[in-house]
Amino acid sequence: MHDGIELSQLRCLVAIADEGTFTDAAAALGVSQAAVSRALAALEQALGVRLLRRTSRSVTPTATGVRVLAQARRVLADVGELVREAGSGHERVRIGYAWSALGRHTVAFQRRWRAAHPDTDLHLVRVNSPSAGLSEGACDLSVVRRPLDDRRFDTALVGLERRLCALAADDPLARRRSVRLADLTGRTLLVDRRTGTATPELWPAEARPAVEETYDVDDWLTVIAAGGGIGVTAESTANQYPRPGIVYRPVRDAEPVAVRLAWWRDDPHPVRRTVLELLTELYRSV
């Protein structure tokens, strides 16, 4: 907004247009007619244009006034939404995730939340960034599967997930019930360096697979299904993304993946503890 424009001036412009006269606008706003006139004059001076035509019987917007009036309504609506959001007691919670939400617990979490907290809307938001949307302002809390080194955030462990290997269905290893890390040496490992849980450091230095970078779970799955590489991922990915042409097999000698809830350290969402308790309970269940 222009430095010389105030919300009160926009409210006066809208009130004049809606009420039809300066007198009625003043009554609607609970101010004097002189205050309305001063506000409109200040707005026109700040913009350098005439916004209203005044006659003895009516007040109508100029062509420019019509455009400014429409924009003023949008600005005031946005400000009203901002005020409602800030004062709503956080009636909505957005939980971000990068690839696979909560795996097999996703539906149970949504249903149990809705039953226990009907007044707080829950939204799961996929954002493929290291903080799963926290840094970007896309969510209030996030589920992450790799450490967050950013000191702006706090995290708490909610559970562990097995590591699985994603393979093309016709891969010879797909016939096995499980695999070892050594079985994957010599393969091409597809990794997402921003958010993925698999890195070459899972293997000994002398036995690491070749690496190719991918940037999204759908791209990752497409390449694997075509036999262009393998993936090592958290078990939740298999729950979230079953895909024809791909099989998932446990990697029995790989460390599990830690699943954490993350939040802004200086502004934790009021339901953060409730979300944390429910997620921890779900991950503890069989």
Side-chain angles (χ1 to χ4, degrees):
M1 187 179 297
H2 191 283
D3 289 342
I5 298 175
E6 300 177 2
L7 290 175
S8 60
Q9 296 167 356
L10 299 182
R11 291 191 183 96
C12 283
L13 174 64
V14 170
I16 295 168
D18 289 346
E19 302 299 330
T21 68
F22 281 67
T23 301
D24 290 339
L29 294 172
V31 298
S32 68
Q33 182 176 334
V36 171
S37 297
R38 286 195 299 270
L40 179 66
L43 180 59
E44 290 181 328
Q45 182 176 2
L47 295 175
V49 293
R50 175 65 62 86
L51 299 175
L52 298 176
R53 294 190 186 92
R54 307 162 182 81
T55 68
S56 58
R57 295 184 177 181
S58 66
V59 178
T60 58
T62 63
T64 300
V66 170
R67 296 194 297 273
V68 172
L69 184 60
Q71 185 66 29
R73 293 187 191 279
R74 288 194 290 271
V75 169
L76 293 173
D78 288 344
V79 171
E81 178 61 26
L82 183 152
V83 172
R84 285 190 294 275
E85 178 74 15
S88 66
H90 292 271
E91 295 171 353
R92 175 186 70 172
V93 58
R94 302 166 300 164
I95 301 180
Y97 64 95
W99 272 41
S100 49
L102 304 165
R104 66 186 179 91
H105 304 299
T106 301
V107 173
F109 175 64
Q110 291 172 301
R111 289 181 174 178
R112 288 180 60 172
W113 183 270
R114 189 179 301 117
H117 309 283
D119 295 331
T120 303
D121 292 335
L122 170 70
H123 300 275
L124 298 181
V125 184
R126 185 161 80 94
V127 182
N128 200 37
S129 75
S131 68
L134 272 183
S135 295
E136 295 80 4
C139 60
D140 309 298
L141 306 167
S142 69
V143 175
V144 295
R145 290 178 172 82
R146 55 189 289 172
L148 277 180
D149 296 328
D150 195 323
R151 293 182 57 82
R152 295 177 299 170
F153 307 124
D154 273 336
T155 65
L157 181 71
V158 298
L160 300 174
E161 294 175 348
R162 295 184 301 168
R163 288 187 196 267
L164 305 183
C165 180
L167 302 152
D170 59 356
D171 190 297
L173 290 176
R175 295 194 291 268
R176 301 187 184 183
R177 296 180 63 181
S178 64
V179 299
R180 294 182 179 274
L181 288 170
D183 298 327
L184 308 178
T185 300
R187 299 298 191 94
T188 298
L189 178 70
L190 300 172
V191 301
D192 183 336
R193 297 187 189 279
R194 294 172 301 170
T195 62
T197 56
T199 69
E201 285 69 32
L202 288 172
W203 285 261
E206 69 279 3
R208 288 174 181 168
V211 171
E212 285 189 10
E213 193 160 0
T214 188
Y215 301 97
D216 184 81
V217 63
D218 286 316
D219 296 337
W220 183 80
L221 291 166
T222 299
V223 175
I224 292 172
I230 63 166
V232 174
T233 186
E235 186 174 7
S236 54
T237 305
N239 298 118
Q240 194 92 350
Y241 299 102
R243 183 70 62 95
I246 288 181
V247 297
Y248 295 91
R249 295 291 181 262
V251 185
R252 60 180 183 268
D253 58 344
E255 291 289 327
V257 176
V259 183
R260 294 180 173 88
L261 185 70
W263 60 88
W264 285 93
R265 175 172 294 176
D266 62 355
D267 187 26
H269 194 283
V271 302
R272 181 256 308 172
R273 186 175 299 278
T274 307
V275 171
L276 181 60
E277 290 173 353
L278 178 53
L279 290 181
T280 303
E281 179 183 344
L282 287 169
Y283 269 90
R284 285 176 178 167
S285 64
V286 178

